[in-house]
């Protein structure tokens, strides 16, 4: 049995924005997806800081007795670390339906799960 531990970073609120593009007029035509992952400089800065923090934690004295070797990122810096982060980047999602809760323009529901933008006649609608 292989015993291992991994630390994965994720951006909960990335600044990068992608888009979908129709490839034809037939609804069965595939959709072109441009994720534009890590296209905003702040997202890459956050990714680098997180990877460096995970590297520091994984190599810390309290964890040293449990670590046989580090697989990655090793001592990568600069463009090499950025390339590793870009190559390893993927999207992730919740296993069930989800929507953002909060007060900003991207939020779908408030702290009481009331849906923003719903008229008064259905103001009792809640997402659970």
């Amino acid at each position: 049995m292989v015993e291992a531990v991994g630390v994965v970073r994720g951006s909960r609120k990335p600044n990068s924005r992608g888009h979908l593009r129709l490839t034809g007029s037939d609804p069965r035509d595939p959709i072109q997806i441009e994720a534009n992952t890590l296209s905003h400089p702040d997202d890459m800065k956050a990714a680098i800081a997180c990877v460096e923090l995970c590297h520091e934690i994984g190599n810390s004295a309290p964890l040293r007795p449990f670590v046989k070797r580090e697989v990655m990122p090793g001592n990568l810096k600069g463009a090499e670390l950025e390339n590793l982060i870009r190559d390893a980047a993927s999207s992730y999602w919740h296993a069930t339906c989800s929507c953002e809760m909060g007060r900003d323009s991207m939020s779908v529901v408030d702290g009481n799960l009331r849906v923003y933008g719903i008229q008064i006649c259905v103001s009792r609608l809640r997402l659970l």
Side-chain angles (χ1 to χ4, degrees):
M1 176 192 320
V2 176
E3 293 182 4
V5 68
V7 180
V8 180
R9 65 150 300 272
S11 297
R12 201 174 65 76
K13 289 190 173 191
N15 293 305
S16 301
R17 293 289 178 256
H19 61 270
L20 304 175
R21 180 170 290 141
L22 299 176
T23 61
S25 59
D26 186 329
R28 293 171 293 217
D29 288 341
I31 295 174
Q32 179 184 2
I33 302 171
E34 293 292 336
N36 290 332
T37 304
L38 298 169
S39 61
H40 194 283
D42 289 346
D43 293 343
M44 181 55 79
K45 286 179 194 173
I48 290 169
C50 188
V51 168
E52 288 173 344
L53 177 62
C54 291
H55 180 80
E56 181 181 333
I57 292 169
N59 289 299
S60 67
L63 292 181
R64 200 164 291 131
F66 308 103
V67 176
K68 289 184 180 178
R69 67 185 174 93
E70 179 181 351
V71 176
M72 67 174 128
N75 293 318
L76 298 180
K77 298 286 182 203
E80 288 182 321
L81 181 56
E82 286 187 24
N83 289 336
L84 173 76
I85 290 170
R86 285 187 200 286
D87 290 345
S90 66
S91 62
Y92 64 96
W93 59 93
H94 294 278
T96 63
C97 299
S98 63
C99 60
E100 185 164 338
M101 179 188 294
R103 297 181 185 170
D104 63 17
S105 63
M106 297 293 287
S107 297
V108 178
V109 295
D110 66 13
N112 292 317
L113 301 178
R114 290 181 296 234
V115 180
Y116 288 123
I118 298 297
Q119 301 300 322
I120 268 216
C121 63
V122 289
S123 64
R124 292 185 176 157
L125 175 66
R126 300 285 191 278
L127 297 182
L128 302 175

